[in-house]
Amino acid sequence: MTLQEIINGSDYIVFFGGAGVSTESGIPDFRSVDGLYNQKYDYPPETILSHTFFMEKTEEFYKFYRDKLIVKNVQPNKAHLALARLEEAGKLKAVITQNIDGLHQTAGSKNVLELHGSTMRNYCMDCGKFYGADFIEKSAGVPRCECGGIVKPDVVLYEEMLDDSVISKSVKFISEAEVLIIGGTSLNVYPAAGFINYFKGKYLVIINKASTPADVRADLVINEPIGEVMGNLKI
């Protein structure tokens, strides 16, 4: 059965995606040859993006954050746009994403569950005042609220817990889905990779350029760029 046939026959689809969904928009992923984890900095990216590093070397954190995680002049690609159309058509019930770039919302998706937060949202650690991405980008050194507190991105760093409500909503959608499409993720990072265990529907589809540990469980595996695959669908 083709992806088109699976989508045509279903009205409860859930999409679970990772960094590979945004690479075709020009945003590097983390673990590929060209990803952030293979670039050279004074500290490994895993260290920089930890809660401990943020608290102890806050200015160094923001140098890396502004350079690598605030994305400028990027647009949703065919995968983002196709998912938004699927939602508008009433077939796609939720997008669950590990990405922090906000491109699903820019494309028009409404029900987006962001497991790792978003660079689009930033909050004062003292008073809770909200700041957009532009505030962080245009600030120098450690961004400060008008109250004097540090403004922190609403991004889940290493050593921090995922949001319980986002996890429970994600599990609920996956457990009720008829079709689960997993795209642009290696399925190597937990707890997110474990979400697949809650799926009890009819069709599990995996779209990823490289193989994943869950391929053996899938009803359809497509090893091609997800933008091309989703962009060819008739919705």
Side-chain angles (χ1 to χ4, degrees):
M1 185 166 289
T2 67
L3 179 58
Q4 184 73 63
E5 289 169 333
I6 290 172
I7 287 174
N8 288 349
S10 176
D11 288 320
Y12 201 129
I13 302 168
V14 170
F15 179 82
F16 174 58
V21 177
S22 290
T23 52
E24 289 170 71
S25 291
I27 299 175
D29 70 4
F30 277 66
R31 288 178 173 77
S32 70
V33 174
D34 301 316
L36 288 179
Y37 285 178
N38 291 301
Q39 299 177 16
K40 302 299 181 186
Y41 289 89
D42 292 341
Y43 304 90
E46 299 99 319
T47 300
I48 298 173
L49 296 173
S50 68
H51 180 81
T52 299
F53 193 92
F54 175 81
M55 298 303 292
E56 294 178 354
K57 293 183 169 64
T58 312
E59 192 160 350
E60 284 290 318
F61 170 88
Y62 276 106
K63 284 180 185 174
F64 179 88
Y65 185 84
R66 289 188 187 95
D67 186 32
K68 291 297 175 187
L69 294 189
I70 293 182
V71 294
K72 308 174 200 111
N73 304 318
V74 295
Q75 298 298 323
N77 60 53
K78 292 177 182 178
H80 298 108
L81 296 169
L83 290 166
R85 291 198 303 274
L86 273 177
E87 184 184 34
E88 191 175 6
K91 288 181 169 290
L92 184 71
K93 303 307 179 186
V95 169
I96 303 165
T97 180
Q98 299 175 84
N99 296 342
I100 57 175
D101 51 47
L103 286 177
H104 284 294
Q105 291 92 330
T106 303
S109 289
K110 301 289 191 294
N111 193 21
V112 181
L113 297 167
E114 295 170 313
L115 293 170
H116 297 155
S118 172
T119 59
M120 302 294 108
R121 301 185 300 270
N122 305 272
Y123 298 95
C124 173
M125 295 176 70
D126 288 349
C127 74
K129 182 176 178 180
F130 169 85
Y131 290 89
D134 285 352
F135 177 82
I136 304 290
E137 182 186 346
K138 292 172 182 173
S139 62
V142 178
R144 296 273 180 181
C145 176
E146 55 191 29
C147 80
I150 295 173
V151 177
K152 182 182 183 293
D154 187 18
V155 170
V156 180
L157 302 175
Y158 289 102
E159 305 165 349
E160 294 180 345
M161 300 291 288
L162 299 185
D163 185 283
D164 283 342
S165 67
V166 175
I167 291 176
S168 61
K169 287 176 186 174
S170 299
V171 167
K172 185 175 188 295
F173 276 111
I174 289 173
S175 65
E176 294 176 354
E178 184 182 5
V179 175
L180 176 61
I181 301 175
I182 297 175
T185 175
S186 62
L187 288 175
N188 285 320
V189 179
Y190 285 83
F195 284 177
I196 190 173
N197 296 324
Y198 294 97
F199 178 65
K200 299 174 177 62
K202 288 174 71 173
Y203 297 108
L204 173 62
V205 179
I206 297 178
I207 308 168
N208 198 53
K209 287 198 284 187
S211 60
T212 80
D215 286 2
V216 293
R217 298 166 59 179
D219 299 287
L220 178 63
V221 176
I222 304 174
N223 294 131
E224 296 173 27
I226 188 167
E228 292 180 17
V229 175
M230 299 298 289
N232 287 330
L233 292 173
K234 293 180 174 61
I235 301 167

